[in-house]
Amino acid sequence: MKPSYPLSVLDLSPIVQGSTPAQSFRCSADIARHAEQWGYHRYWLAEHHGMPGIASAATSVLIGHIAGQTSRIRVGAGGIMLPNHSPLVIAEQFGTLASLYPGRIDLGLGRAPGSDPETARALRRNLNSDPDQFPRDVLELMDYMSDEPRNRIMAVPGRGLNVPVWILGSSLFGAQLAAALGLPYAFASHFAPAQLMDAIEVYRRQFQPSVHLEKPYVMLGYNVFAADTEDEAKLLASSWQQSFVNLRSGRPGQLPPPVRDYYEQCSPPAQHLLDSLLSCTAIGNPEQVLEQMKGFIALTGANELMLNANIFDHNKRLRSYEIAAELRGSLV
């Protein structure tokens, strides 16, 4: 039987207008249970801070909650923003998760703070501009989780668990680091696609096989707004469009309800901003979404897609993920 193309879920645990983080967590757990049932490969949560519409700030805690609500699907961070944390603390946190849920935990690492500078300072991180600090922190973290750490400080739990590490990025920096360390690479094309093709090319060309990975493996972020009709899908996508324009305009907020013909009502600069994401977004009925996803995979050669569906209505968000899952067998 022909294998299905691997699809995964990226969840920011969005807080919709009029709701609460507690409700967001219930929705995330429900989506994770359905995603497992529908054959999704991973369920990743992302670290953001000080964002009114994102509830996944305590990422490790939420990963444990989602892993506890499921039984097979891989659960992980997409990602942990390592500059915010001591590598030892993350080794202990993910060592704990890997001990609780063996063989199911992923650790994606990014170097952005996931917040504004003022919030970053409140996190008590060292605002070090040294470009070599992130690679050093990654190596230190991996060492803590290795079978025979060089560091005399012991991560308990953590040592010997070798939690799979991914490098995340939206520029050439992450691509070069992932290639040099022989690690899988996840690109944030769902919100920052400008350097996508260059980053993929650099990663594949410079990749060095390692004990972790024999050949390059690329996972790409991809927005999916799938519905039974094209008109409904376009309406559902308008919540994400509003949220993205608000964020880029310095007005982050909770995920708003959909607005019909939102794009047509936007200013030309806002339309240009949204247009930049269309190459990494599928909007439409199942047939249209299939063609858009197949085109994106053919263009990029992605080994896996991580789908994001910021949809206001929970049941319609579920339906979007269900439609995408039904298309997996036709993507290879």
Side-chain angles (χ1 to χ4, degrees), residues 38-60:
W38 294 330
Y40 279 92
H41 189 38
R42 313 173 201 276
Y43 197 98
W44 278 12
L45 297 131
E47 177 185 354
H48 291 273
H49 299 279
M51 303 290 284
I54 296 177
S56 55
T59 315
S60 299

Side-chain angles (χ1 to χ4, degrees), residues 23-319:
Q23 181 60 36
S24 296
F25 298 147
R26 287 190 287 270
C27 290
S28 289
D30 188 45
I31 292 171
R33 288 189 293 265
H34 280 87
E36 180 173 80
Q37 176 186 339
W38 294 330
Y40 279 92
H41 189 38
R42 313 173 201 276
Y43 197 98
W44 278 12
L45 297 131
E47 177 185 354
H48 291 273
H49 299 279
M51 303 290 284
I54 296 177
S56 55
T59 315
S60 299
V61 177
L62 193 52
I63 288 170
H65 174 63
I66 296 299
Q69 294 286 312
T70 52
S71 59
R72 300 182 310 277
I73 194 170
R74 298 191 66 87
V75 186
I80 291 293
M81 300 298 106
L82 194 52
N84 294 338
H85 310 279
S86 154
L88 176 60
V89 168
I90 298 304
E92 291 171 341
Q93 289 179 0
F94 278 78
T96 299
L97 289 167
S99 299
L100 289 168
Y101 309 103
R104 295 181 56 207
I105 301 299
D106 294 327
L107 175 52
L109 298 172
R111 67 173 183 140
S115 61
D116 59 88
E118 191 172 347
T119 303
R121 290 187 181 88
L123 287 165
R124 289 168 173 74
R125 64 183 289 263
N126 179 13
L127 299 180
N128 192 331
S129 60
D130 181 357
D132 294 326
Q133 187 61 47
F134 178 65
R136 285 198 296 263
D137 285 349
V138 171
L139 291 172
E140 180 182 344
L141 171 54
M142 293 175 65
D143 181 60
Y144 285 130
M145 298 188 296
S146 67
D147 294 322
E148 297 182 359
R150 295 184 298 274
N151 199 314
R152 289 186 297 176
I153 301 171
M154 188 178 298
V156 182
R159 178 175 179 172
L161 293 179
N162 294 293
V163 176
V165 169
W166 292 66
I167 299 298
L168 278 57
S170 58
S171 69
L172 301 186
F173 183 94
Q176 292 168 333
L177 179 60
L181 298 181
L183 295 174
Y185 181 51
F187 191 89
S189 37
H190 61 293
F191 75 88
Q195 293 187 283
L196 169 62
M197 299 307 295
D198 289 340
I200 293 173
E201 192 277 329
V202 166
Y203 171 67
R204 289 179 174 145
R205 174 166 47 84
Q206 297 184 6
F207 182 83
Q208 299 294 316
S210 70
V211 296
H212 310 288
L213 195 64
E214 292 182 359
K215 57 184 180 180
Y217 192 94
V218 175
M219 179 163 60
L220 302 180
Y222 193 76
N223 302 299
V224 171
F225 302 93
D228 295 316
T229 68
E230 179 183 10
D231 185 64
E232 182 184 10
K234 287 181 176 180
L235 178 62
L236 297 179
S238 67
S239 293
W240 160 74
Q241 291 169 333
Q242 293 174 75
S243 179
F244 190 76
V245 169
N246 290 340
L247 176 64
R248 287 292 191 257
S249 303
R251 306 186 310 272
Q254 295 180 334
L255 188 68
V259 173
R260 191 166 297 280
D261 299 324
Y262 171 75
Y263 177 87
E264 288 73 16
Q265 300 169 27
C266 282
S267 66
Q271 289 183 349
H272 178 73
L273 183 65
L274 294 172
D275 289 345
S276 69
L277 299 177
L278 289 180
S279 63
C280 303
T281 302
I283 303 174
N285 61 39
E287 293 77 17
Q288 293 168 320
V289 168
L290 175 61
E291 289 307 307
Q292 293 170 69
M293 292 177 71
K294 287 174 67 175
F296 184 72
I297 294 168
L299 175 68
T300 61
N303 301 100
E304 185 174 341
L305 294 187
M306 178 154 278
L307 307 184
N308 182 45
N310 269 6
I311 293 173
F312 183 83
D313 182 276
H314 176 66
N315 289 327
K316 294 186 184 301
R317 188 178 180 212
L318 274 175
R319 178 59 180 150

